[in-house]
Amino acid sequence: MHVADQRELEAAMERLRESEARAVERANALAKTTAELRRMNAELDAFAYAASHDLRAPLRGIANLAQWIEEDLQDSLRDETREMLALLRSRMHRMESLIEGILQYSRAGRVHAPPEQVDVQALVEEVIDLLSPPEATFETRDLPVIVAERVPLQQILQNLIGNAVKHGGQGVTITVSAEDAGPDWRFAVADNGPGIPEEFQDRVWGIFQTLEPRDKVEGTGIGLSLVKKLVESQGGSVWLHSRPDAGAVFTFTWPKNS
């Protein structure tokens, strides 16, 4: 071997050793970062659980006090005072729902369960039974049996259907449908309610965002942001199509291999 060739080979070997050393260094740094992220996620879960528990306790206490006051003074309470106590209890329940929503949002996409066979038709029927909407009509079309994580899919459907019930108005008709879209399932929750103006449609996905005053429509402003986070954590996407006085259609994809 010529001297020049020998030197070129040695230089190439040295570059290879340096490349391997950098690769090992990057792998170690990545492992350290991953471990740190796991630790921080565990701390976040613990904090969210502790905070929700510690905040719920006094809220329940206030709600109970309001009920006891009403029961003890029921014969002497004015109608105005009775309405105020009912409003106080309503605010307590709303705050409790807000705390639960924040806890769900903090965990969304980070806690996974093994996929299982899910009958989406049966799941939608369970959600409707749980919500018990008094004056809504439901239709379902082509809902499949799929392999998926059950809990996030249930949360998504529950929030979308609940949102349609809440904003659809009296006598709203809600249709839940699905279609095979190749690598994905494409689900849609449609209603024939008042719809959402185009200028507000991006806003609905933001956390704590509501399009109507909370005194008019009960809500935390977390539901649709939770839907978006859960769908995207599965590798899907979600979007809204709506026109004023023409209802709203929330569509999301669910990868078959999620």
Side-chain angles (χ1 to χ4, degrees):
M1 180 180 295
H2 294 294
V3 174
D5 293 339
Q6 180 68 28
R7 288 175 179 170
E8 185 177 342
L9 178 60
E10 290 175 354
M13 293 295 293
E14 182 62 25
R15 288 194 297 271
L16 179 60
R17 283 192 291 269
E18 290 175 357
S19 178
E20 289 177 346
R22 287 194 297 271
V24 170
E25 185 178 348
R26 285 195 294 267
N28 290 337
L30 180 60
K32 185 177 180 181
T33 301
T34 301
E36 182 67 12
L37 282 172
R38 286 175 178 162
R39 183 188 65 79
M40 292 173 65
N41 283 337
E43 289 181 355
L44 179 61
D45 276 342
F47 170 78
Y49 178 80
S52 65
H53 180 272
D54 291 345
L55 288 171
R56 279 180 177 138
L59 285 175
R60 293 194 188 104
I62 294 171
N64 289 336
L65 284 172
Q67 183 176 348
W68 295 338
I69 291 172
E70 185 173 6
E71 290 173 353
D72 289 345
L73 304 177
Q74 58 181 338
D75 296 331
S76 58
L77 280 179
R78 295 181 302 168
D79 290 341
E80 183 181 359
T81 305
R82 201 180 303 277
E83 289 176 5
M84 289 181 180
L85 288 171
L87 187 61
L88 177 63
R89 287 197 300 273
S90 173
R91 295 293 186 273
M92 294 304 102
H93 293 318
R94 179 188 296 168
M95 182 62 71
E96 192 169 18
S97 297
L98 182 61
I99 292 168
E100 178 61 27
I102 292 172
L103 183 61
Q104 290 181 0
Y105 188 84
S106 72
R107 291 180 171 177
R110 295 192 294 108
V111 180
H112 292 280
E116 59 184 279
Q117 186 167 284
V118 179
D119 184 336
V120 182
Q121 175 71 38
L123 185 60
V124 168
E125 290 173 1
E126 288 177 20
V127 168
I128 294 170
D129 184 62
L130 178 66
L131 294 173
S132 300
E135 297 182 3
T137 301
F138 289 91
E139 298 176 358
T140 58
R141 298 176 187 164
D142 305 320
L143 296 181
V145 176
I146 66 174
V147 175
E149 288 185 66
R150 180 184 179 86
V151 172
L153 184 58
Q154 180 177 357
Q155 288 179 305
I156 291 165
L157 291 169
Q158 186 168 319
N159 277 289
L160 291 179
I161 294 172
N163 186 74
V165 170
K166 193 183 304 176
H167 298 284
Q170 187 173 2
V172 64
T173 297
I174 300 167
T175 303
V176 185
S177 61
E179 62 177 319
D180 191 329
D184 304 319
W185 289 106
R186 185 179 297 140
F187 295 95
V189 178
D191 67 71
N192 63 347
I196 301 171
E198 186 176 355
E199 61 267 29
F200 297 130
Q201 291 182 15
D202 288 339
R203 179 178 163 187
V204 301
W205 305 110
I207 192 169
F208 304 131
Q209 295 293 318
T210 58
L211 299 183
E212 296 185 79
R214 287 185 172 87
D215 287 334
K216 184 177 179 181
V217 176
E218 284 290 334
T220 61
I222 295 177
L224 292 179
S225 60
L226 178 61
V227 166
K228 188 173 190 294
K229 191 174 182 182
L230 286 168
V231 168
E232 292 179 350
S233 75
Q234 297 288 331
S237 57
V238 59
W239 62 93
L240 162 66
H241 177 74
S242 179
R243 290 180 298 160
D245 301 319
V249 183
F250 287 88
T251 306
F252 67 94
T253 58
W254 191 278
K256 294 178 180 178
N257 62 350
S258 65

